Amino acid sequence: MSLIASARQQWLANPRRDLLAGTVVALALIPEAIAFSIIAGVDPAVGLYASVVIAVTIAFVGGRPAMISAATGAMALLMVGLVRDHGLEYLFAASILCGVFQIIIGLLKLGRYIKFVSRSVMTGFVNSLAILIFLAQMPELIGANWQTFALVGAALVVIYGFPRLTRAVPSPLVAIILISVFVMMTGLDVRTVGDMGQMPSTLPVFHLPSVPLTWETLAIIAPISATLAFVGLLESLLTANLLDDITDTPSDKDRETRGQGIANILSPLFGGMAGCAMIGQSIINVTSGARGRLSTLWAGLFLLFLILVLRDWVAQIPMAALVAVMIMVSIGTFDWGSVLKLRSTPFQSSVVMIATTVTVVATHDLSKGVILGVLLSAVFFMRKVGKTIAVTEIETPEKGVLRYRVTGQLFFASADLFAASFEHHGHPKRVEIDMTDAHLWDLTGVAAVDKVVFRYRRQGAEVDVIGMNQAARTLVDQVGRFEKEHLPTAAAH
């Protein structure tokens, strides 16, 4: 595909759907951006400006069309201590450094290693975020009047019922408009977007962080920046994976990594904080029909239009309508099949999925859950592969000669089983170990071969290890001892 054809496909394949979906996303971004600003302890303008700048930037430089990036709760939680102890300017500086770290990671092409996150961890990630999205709506419902519950119910009826009539317009947008008009006409006493906080009234202006350029400043912001970079990329790349599956289209993970870095450098330069991909808004976008970059660009531009030009109208949107949209997102995001198939799913996969979900929900920290899930997946995988090593004795008519065939993967998890599989009693004259069908992976595997060979040599046997592939032979040449040290055999004779 030519460059022009590719650009047309990513930007103009279906502009009407992209624009409508971006409109819904922009409306849903406002209360979340304000809420995340409050979590981080900064003015609502910081979250709103961040959402505008990051969305517009990532539309051009991101690697996953139709994915929405903005200010997020996962990032806001990490900023609380820095803002409290050192102030807003240090947050701007930390956000820029976060972007620098992410660009470096992108240039090193480390984003592709997200493929090592197992399906079970992905499912746990998706389910935990669905639960967190739902729980985030509870403050709007706990202690609310009956009118609020009625409006949420009515909005959900519109969201799920309107597509039966037509899919030309995203049903969440229809629900927001209808509920807003109804509340404005009846004057119902319910919470609105305006109750969340004061929206900015001016365009974001260029601003360099006012912090001393010293090693002390670097020592303060670097740990926070590194954590922000890691969590931001983790959430962004996992969200990109999810959208890849939903839309059945690929994404460029390394480009997305660099793009997130560029966006997080530009955001604080215009008064915003660092952000990352938003799974909720991304799901809203693609389920509303968006597939191109135009939806992300329009979401950012229309958000700016809303907060500057239509701010008085936007302030009257009832939170109940937006709560209903987010409840729809949480229901649609949760992988219900993963629960229904728990009995038929392998036990270890279920443990990984549940552990990831519970950890993220309990800590509200995506990174802790995903890291735990990846570690559990690795442990279970190594246990399984470690048991695949097999040592078979081959019958031979020659007296005093033992022949063994090794099959499977020899590494630290299977080394003990390998060493224990040989018969070391008696006094064979010669031992032949055939490793044609085995692969030796690490230093522990080499040490296990050394251990077996030296045991036989101490008994006076001559030992030959044959059939190693080139990679194993190179490793043995570098760190193995059995081909270099023959003194035990000589001493035994």
Side-chain angles (χ1 to χ4, degrees):
M1 187 183 291
S2 70
L3 197 61
I4 295 176
S6 176
R8 185 180 293 114
Q9 174 66 29
Q10 292 190 14
W11 282 95
L12 299 172
N14 198 331
R16 185 180 65 82
R17 280 190 175 276
D18 281 352
L19 291 172
L20 287 171
T23 300
V24 180
V25 169
L27 290 167
L29 274 174
I30 292 175
E32 293 218 349
I34 295 173
F36 298 150
S37 300
I38 294 169
I39 289 172
V42 297
D43 189 271
V46 177
L48 289 166
Y49 285 157
S51 297
V52 170
V53 175
I54 293 173
V56 170
T57 303
I58 212 72
F60 293 96
V61 298
R64 169 68 257 179
M67 189 164 77
I68 304 296
S69 293
T72 65
M75 301 286 268
L77 286 169
L78 299 172
M79 302 170 181
V80 177
L82 182 65
V83 174
R84 181 188 63 238
D85 298 336
H86 300 283
L88 182 60
E89 295 297 324
Y90 277 81
L91 172 59
F92 291 152
S95 297
I96 291 175
L97 185 58
C98 161
V100 172
F101 285 155
Q102 290 177 328
I103 290 176
I104 293 172
I105 292 170
L107 292 174
L108 294 175
K109 300 186 181 298
L110 301 180
R112 65 187 66 182
Y113 293 108
I114 195 69
K115 64 186 176 185
F116 291 116
V117 176
S118 70
R119 173 63 58 181
S120 300
V121 177
M122 273 291 295
T123 303
F125 158 78
V126 168
N127 288 350
S128 61
L129 284 184
I131 294 170
L132 290 178
I133 290 169
F134 182 82
L135 292 177
Q137 312 314 311
M138 291 302 102
E140 295 297 329
L141 298 176
I142 295 173
N145 54 27
W146 68 267
Q147 291 96 329
T148 298
F149 286 96
L151 290 174
V152 171
L156 287 171
V157 168
V158 174
I159 288 170
Y160 287 107
F162 189 76
R164 295 177 181 272
L165 301 177
T166 177
R167 293 183 178 271
V169 181
S171 61
L173 178 59
V174 176
I176 291 171
I177 294 172
L178 289 179
I179 299 299
S180 299
V181 170
F182 178 78
V183 169
M184 290 176 193
M185 290 176 62
T186 58
L188 285 179
D189 182 23
V190 293
R191 272 174 59 82
T192 62
V193 170
D195 297 323
M196 294 288 293
Q198 187 66 35
M199 286 188 287
S201 56
T202 60
L203 284 168
V205 295
F206 185 81
H207 168 75
L208 287 171
S210 179
V211 296
L213 299 178
T214 63
W215 289 111
E216 183 182 359
T217 300
L218 183 63
I220 291 171
I221 67 173
I224 302 294
S225 298
T227 307
L228 287 170
F230 173 73
V231 172
L233 289 182
L234 196 58
E235 185 159 358
S236 298
L237 296 178
L238 288 175
T239 302
N241 263 357
L242 180 62
L243 296 192
D244 289 352
D245 291 343
I246 293 174
T247 62
D248 196 26
T249 55
S251 61
D252 185 336
K253 303 299 188 299
D254 292 319
R255 179 178 175 181
E256 182 62 40
T257 301
R258 297 190 298 270
Q260 291 289 330
I262 295 169
N264 282 330
I265 289 174
L266 291 177
S267 174
L269 292 178
F270 289 92
M273 57 190 190
C276 63
M278 305 183 77
I279 187 169
Q281 271 64 26
S282 297
I283 293 292
I284 291 174
N285 202 36
V286 296
T287 54
S288 297
R291 291 295 181 271
R293 296 178 180 275
L294 183 61
S295 61
T296 308
L297 175 63
W298 178 245
L301 293 176
F302 191 60
L303 173 60
L304 185 63
F305 179 74
L306 288 173
I307 60 180
L308 295 182
V309 180
L310 302 181
R311 55 201 303 268
D312 293 335
W313 289 94
V314 170
Q316 298 181 61
I317 295 175
M319 286 301 297
L322 299 174
V323 166
V325 173
M326 298 314 294
I327 289 175
M328 176 271 291
V329 170
S330 68
I331 293 172
T333 301
F334 195 89
D335 187 347
W336 299 98
S338 65
V339 177
L340 299 174
K341 295 176 183 176
L342 273 177
R343 282 190 171 185
S344 58
T345 303
F347 174 75
Q348 294 173 340
S349 297
S350 297
V351 169
V352 171
M353 185 269 288
I354 293 171
T356 303
T357 303
V358 170
T359 303
V360 174
V361 172
T363 63
H364 284 230
D365 189 333
L366 169 70
S367 59
K368 285 187 176 70
V370 172
I371 289 172
L372 175 63
V374 169
L375 290 176
L376 283 175
S377 296
V379 169
F380 288 144
F381 173 76
M382 287 185 291
R383 282 189 61 190
K384 187 174 182 179
V385 174
K387 293 177 181 178
T388 63
I389 195 77
V391 178
T392 307
E393 185 175 351
I394 304 171
E395 290 188 12
T396 174
E398 300 176 60
K399 192 174 181 180
V401 176
L402 293 177
R403 285 195 173 92
Y404 294 97
R405 179 184 293 114
V406 183
T407 57
Q409 311 301 315
L410 180 54
F411 64 116
F412 65 89
S414 59
D416 288 343
L417 181 59
F418 167 82
S421 299
F422 291 87
E423 174 62 61
H424 293 287
H425 301 296
H427 296 281
K429 294 179 182 178
R430 190 160 66 88
V431 178
E432 185 179 283
I433 302 173
D434 184 356
M435 299 191 67
T436 304
D437 298 321
H439 188 78
L440 201 159
W441 287 98
D442 61 6
L443 302 185
T444 311
V446 176
V449 176
D450 283 343
K451 182 179 180 180
V452 171
V453 171
F454 286 136
R455 274 185 180 176
Y456 279 120
R457 285 181 180 169
R458 281 193 293 269
Q459 296 176 22
E462 179 186 338
V463 185
D464 291 321
V465 181
I466 64 173
M468 284 189 177
N469 58 31
Q470 186 58 47
R473 175 59 57 191
T474 301
L475 192 58
V476 168
D477 289 343
Q478 290 175 344
V479 298
R481 294 168 46 221
F482 70 87
E483 290 189 343
K484 304 168 187 172
E485 302 176 20
H486 296 280
L487 290 177
T489 305
H493 284 304

